[in-house]
């Protein structure tokens, strides 16, 4: 089950990750490649189905009156240095400049937002036959400039704030024998957005047991803090014992998965 303490404000960031196996129990995240040139994305979408809405032939239905335009430029760089055959260090840096425009409510309400900032991460890896360890940290800083307006009344709602995240983590992975694999670790996450601020330690435990050649038992207990990602990418593990720990929740949401 999943227990969440949800934020009350809105969040337009979504997380779309695909798994890249590193070793049993841990998975690093990577964004799905898109059709646009590397570092640039332009999109204009309409008739968006949100919040479990059903498709409708009614042209005045809310799901048929939503338009979104996105213009995004990103820069990504990474490096890996191998200390020994079993140890290496990974560094990752990302920069984003994103402009978005949303039209809703009979196309009378327009919302403009500009996100600009960076995300830097570093990770130490120790990978052996019986024991693996990942330790890393990251810093996320995004300045948000947004403005909402009603196209009929002309009123507007300006708003400027920043999204700041700092985190650190340790994940250990032990192959007890050829059939049993255990994962244990924790992360510390601190997130601040406007007047909202939260931080704390998040434990992570997982177990995978191959009962037979065709049956695997998986168990996990993990806690997470949802925070934005600059380009929907991170080198921190996104799964524990095969269970996803990143969800498309509101920024600042604390969750527990059992």
């Amino acid at each position: 089950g999943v227990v969440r303490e949800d934020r009350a404000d809105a969040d337009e960031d979504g997380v779309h990750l695909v798994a890249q196996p590193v070793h049993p129990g841990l998975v690093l995240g990577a964004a799905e490649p898109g059709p646009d040139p590397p570092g640039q994305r332009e999109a204009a979408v309409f008739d968006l189905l949100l919040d479990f809405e059903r498709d409708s032939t009614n042209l005045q239905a809310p799901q048929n009156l939503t338009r979104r335009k996105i213009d995004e430029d990103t820069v990504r760089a990474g490096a890996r240095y191998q200390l020994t055959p079993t140890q290496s260090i990974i560094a990752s840096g990302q920069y984003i400049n994103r402009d978005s425009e949303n039209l809703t409510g009979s196309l009378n309400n327009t919302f403009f937002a500009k996100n600009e900032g960076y995300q830097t991460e570093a990770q130490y890896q120790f990978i052996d036959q019986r024991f693996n360890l990942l330790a890393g940290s990251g810093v996320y800083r995004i300045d948000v400039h947004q403005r909402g307006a009603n196209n009929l009344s002309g009123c507007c709602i300006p708003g400027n704030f920043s999204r700041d995240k700092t985190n650190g983590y340790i994940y250990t992975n032990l192959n007890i024998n050829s059939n049993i694999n255990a994962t244990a670790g924790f992360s510390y996450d601190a997130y601040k957005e406007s007047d909202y601020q939260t931080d704390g330690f998040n434990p992570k435990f997982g177990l995978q047991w191959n009962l037979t050649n065709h049956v695997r038992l998986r168990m996990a207990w993990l806690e997470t803090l949802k925070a934005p990602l600059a380009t929907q990418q991170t080198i921190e593990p996104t799964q524990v014992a095969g269970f996803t720990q990143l969800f498309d929740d509101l920024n600042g949401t604390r969750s527990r998965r059992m």
Side-chain angles (χ1 to χ4, degrees), residues 111-114 143-148 156-162:
F111 180 81
F112 303 92
K114 178 180 180 64
D143 293 323
V144 181
H145 306 279
Q146 62 184 19
R147 177 172 58 88
C156 59
I157 305 175
N160 300 320
F161 59 92
S162 62

Side-chain angles (χ1 to χ4, degrees), residues 19-28 86 123-135 170-175 181-184 208 216 235 237 239-242:
Q20 294 180 336
V22 177
H23 47 71
L26 299 181
V27 177
L28 296 183
T86 59
Q123 184 182 94
Y124 166 80
Q125 296 185 350
F126 175 84
I127 302 178
D128 204 0
Q129 184 176 0
R130 294 290 302 275
F131 176 77
N132 303 295
L133 180 145
L134 297 182
I170 296 177
Y171 294 82
T172 60
N173 191 73
L174 176 64
N175 296 320
N181 175 272
T183 301
Q208 299 183 80
R216 171 178 292 182
I235 61 175
Q239 296 184 6
V240 175

